[in-house]
Amino acid sequence: MRTLLCLLSDQHVPNLLSVHHFRPDRLVLVESEAMRERGVADDFLRALKLGGLDYGGDRCERQPLAHEDALPEIRRALQDAYGRHPSDEWIVNVTGGTKPMSIGTFQFFSVLEATRVYINQSRPNEIQFMDGAGIERVAHRPTIAEFLAGYGFQSQKSPDDVAAAEDRARQWWDLARALAAEFGSEELLQFESDKERKKAKEKRLDLMTRHLHSRLAASPTARSFLARTFALNETDDGLTGQLDKYQVQFLLGSWLEVFLWGLLERCREALNIWDVRLGIVPQRPGQEANEFDVSFMRNYGLWMVECKTGSQEYDKGGEILYKIEAIIRQPRALHVRTILATTSSNVLDEQGQVRPEIKNRAAAHRCTIVRRDQIRDLAASDNPSELLKTILGW
C-alpha cells in the first residue's frame, strides 16, 4: 500500500501535483488548527476530484496538529499517522506547512526509509527527491477550476454556460479580429436613450441604420464581416436586421475579450499556456463574485485578462487597477498574474506610451498593460504568438 503524506498550507498546488504524480492508494493530510478552521482539506480534496482523483472515504486520513510550530507536537502527530500504517510504502512531501512542520517531517521520516520529496515554487513541475536520487517531472497540468478550488472558489457560471459562450466566440472570432484591427474607443452601437440600450443588452435589438457608429457603417470590410457573421441585411445606407442580446453585448465591447480569448486559444502551444477560458465567474462563500473576462494557466499559475473598451472617460486615474488587485488578492495565491487590455487613451501620455504613474501602479499589482496600438498590431500580425511574447515580456 502506497501512502502519501502532505502538509496542508494555503498554497495547495505543490501538494496537488505530488498526488497526481505518485497516485497513492492512501492520502494523509497533516492539518493544523489554522488549516482546519479554513476548511483547507475540503478545498484540497475538491480540487483533486475536479482533476479526476477521488480521495473520499477511507482513502484519505486527516492528521490533526495542535501546535504547528512545536517540534514535539509535530513529531507526536507524525507518529500517530505512521503508527496506523507502519508497513506501507511512505512518500512524504515536505513542501507545505510551516517551516517547523517541514523540518520536523523531514527529520522524523529520515530514519524510516521513507521517500522524501520537495517542490520548489520556482519550478513547480519538478519533484526533487531529497536523498539526491534526482528529479522527476510532473505530467499533470491543473485546470483553472482545480487551481481556484484549492483556494475555496466555486464557479458561479455553469460549465455549460461557459462552453456556450466559447462556442459563440469561436463563430465570431474573425469578426472580432476585424474590429480589433480597425476600431478602438468608439461605441459601435448608438442608442437614443439608456432605456433603449438596456433593452438591447438584456433582450434584443431591431437594428436600424441609425444604430451603427458612422465609422463602422463606412467601413466596407467591417460592415461586410458584420453582415455575414450576424446574418444582417446590407444596403447602401447600412445594415438592418435583428441582433440577439449576446450580439448586442459583443458590439458594445465584448468583442475585445472574444478577440483576445480566441488569439490566446490559437497560440496556446507556442505560448506554453493551457486551459484558456472565457468569462468564468469564481466565487467564494461570503465574498462578491467577479468575472474573469479571459483566463488561462501558465507555469502552474493563473493569469487573468481584464478587457476594457470605450474611452473610459470616467477612469482617468486608472482606478481599474485597484479592482484587478482586489480580484486577485482573494485567492491568497502566490502565482496569480493579470493583464489589462484597454482601448482607452486615458492610460497613455502624449507619446502614446503608458503614463509613468500608471505603469508604476501596474507593476506594483503585477499587471501588464496592453495598449490600443498593440491590440491593433496583434489583430494584423501573421505571427501573433511572437508578438504576444514581446508585449507580455515572456
Side-chain angles (χ1 to χ4, degrees):
M1 185 79 107
R2 172 179 281 190
T3 294
L4 172 64
L5 181 140
C6 295
L7 309 176
L8 292 179
S9 66
D10 285 334
Q11 309 305 326
H12 70 288
V13 172
N15 283 331
L16 182 140
L17 293 175
S18 69
V19 178
H20 276 276
H21 185 73
F22 292 111
R23 300 295 179 102
D25 303 296
R26 183 180 9 255
L27 194 57
V28 174
L29 304 178
V30 179
E31 181 180 50
S32 68
E33 282 295 304
M35 295 299 103
R36 184 187 62 78
E37 290 173 0
R38 293 180 193 170
V40 169
D42 291 333
D43 295 337
F44 181 59
L45 292 172
R46 187 162 60 85
L48 286 173
K49 193 168 184 177
L50 285 170
L53 299 182
D54 189 351
Y55 280 88
D58 60 4
R59 295 197 68 199
C60 178
E61 296 179 2
R62 305 185 193 194
Q63 177 60 49
L65 174 60
H67 302 288
E68 60 187 25
D69 294 327
L71 286 174
E73 290 291 337
I74 294 167
R75 284 194 293 269
R76 190 174 297 116
L78 297 174
Q79 182 61 62
D80 287 346
Y82 179 78
R84 291 192 295 271
H85 313 288
S87 61
D88 283 4
E89 173 197 354
W90 282 78
I91 303 172
V92 182
N93 186 348
V94 302
T95 310
T98 62
K99 287 184 179 178
M101 288 172 64
S102 295
I103 294 170
T105 303
F106 178 84
Q107 291 176 340
F108 179 85
F109 282 97
S110 293
V111 297
L112 297 174
E113 298 184 355
T115 300
R116 290 151 293 146
V117 299
Y118 173 77
I119 296 177
N120 191 314
Q121 292 283 359
S122 65
R123 299 185 298 276
N125 65 324
E126 295 182 357
I127 291 185
Q128 302 182 41
F129 289 81
M130 302 193 73
D131 61 358
I135 291 173
E136 291 183 2
R137 294 190 179 274
V138 180
H140 182 68
R141 285 182 160 188
T143 63
I144 294 172
E146 292 171 64
F147 184 90
L148 288 173
Y151 296 106
F153 285 82
Q154 299 185 34
S155 178
Q156 192 185 69
K157 185 183 288 187
S158 74
D160 288 344
D161 287 344
V162 173
E166 291 175 348
D167 283 343
R168 289 191 295 270
R170 288 187 185 91
Q171 298 173 44
W172 300 348
W173 189 77
D174 288 331
L175 172 59
R177 183 182 184 183
L179 296 178
E182 193 167 345
F183 298 95
S185 59
E186 304 93 339
E187 284 273 324
L188 299 182
L189 290 178
Q190 311 288 306
F191 298 97
E192 293 181 338
S193 67
D194 289 341
K195 181 179 179 181
E196 183 186 30
R197 180 189 180 94
K198 185 174 185 292
K199 179 181 177 183
K201 288 181 67 176
E202 294 179 354
K203 295 183 180 179
R204 61 181 175 81
L205 173 67
D206 293 319
L207 183 68
M208 295 183 250
T209 55
R210 67 174 175 86
H211 286 123
L212 287 187
H213 188 281
S214 58
R215 281 200 63 226
L216 178 55
S219 169
T221 300
R223 195 173 68 179
S224 177
F225 259 116
L226 184 56
R228 292 199 308 271
T229 305
F230 291 162
L232 300 174
N233 303 312
E234 190 170 12
T235 68
D236 292 338
D237 296 326
L239 299 177
T240 61
Q242 190 171 101
L243 298 174
D244 65 29
K245 65 179 183 180
Y246 300 112
Q247 293 165 335
V248 169
Q249 292 163 13
F250 173 88
L251 291 174
L252 285 177
S254 68
W255 59 266
L256 179 56
E257 56 207 64
V258 167
F259 168 65
L260 290 176
W261 171 81
L263 187 66
L264 290 164
E265 174 71 13
R266 285 163 171 77
C267 297
R268 65 185 184 276
E269 290 188 10
L271 298 175
N272 197 23
I273 64 176
W274 67 93
D275 200 30
V276 184
R277 307 315 304 265
L278 177 67
I280 65 172
V281 186
Q283 184 177 30
R284 183 191 285 143
Q287 292 184 351
E288 181 181 353
N290 286 287
E291 182 171 7
F292 293 180
D293 292 337
V294 181
S295 48
F296 58 90
M297 295 292 292
R298 179 177 184 263
N299 288 342
Y300 297 84
L302 172 66
W303 285 67
M304 182 196 77
V305 186
E306 179 80 6
C307 300
K308 290 296 178 184
T309 56
S311 63
Q312 303 293 307
E313 287 297 323
Y314 58 86
D315 186 16
K316 293 186 180 295
E319 298 302 311
I320 182 61
L321 292 171
Y322 289 118
K323 176 194 172 186
I324 290 173
E325 171 62 14
I327 292 172
I328 66 170
R329 193 187 301 120
Q330 287 184 347
R332 308 190 308 273
L334 291 178
H335 298 288
V336 179
R337 295 292 302 273
T338 58
I339 299 166
L340 171 61
T342 177
T343 63
S344 172
S345 60
N346 282 348
V347 301
L348 306 178
D349 59 20
E350 293 180 354
Q351 287 73 44
Q353 300 300 307
V354 178
R355 299 194 336 248
E357 66 273 23
I358 300 293
K359 186 175 182 179
N360 292 338
R361 189 184 301 174
H365 297 321
R366 302 180 74 208
C367 177
T368 301
I369 296 179
V370 179
R371 307 184 307 262
R372 175 66 192 97
D373 60 300
Q374 293 171 324
I375 295 170
R376 184 182 292 113
D377 290 345
L378 286 168
S381 176
D382 293 329
N383 191 8
S385 60
E386 291 304 312
L387 182 55
L388 268 171
K389 289 178 184 178
T390 299
I391 291 172
L392 298 178
W394 293 357

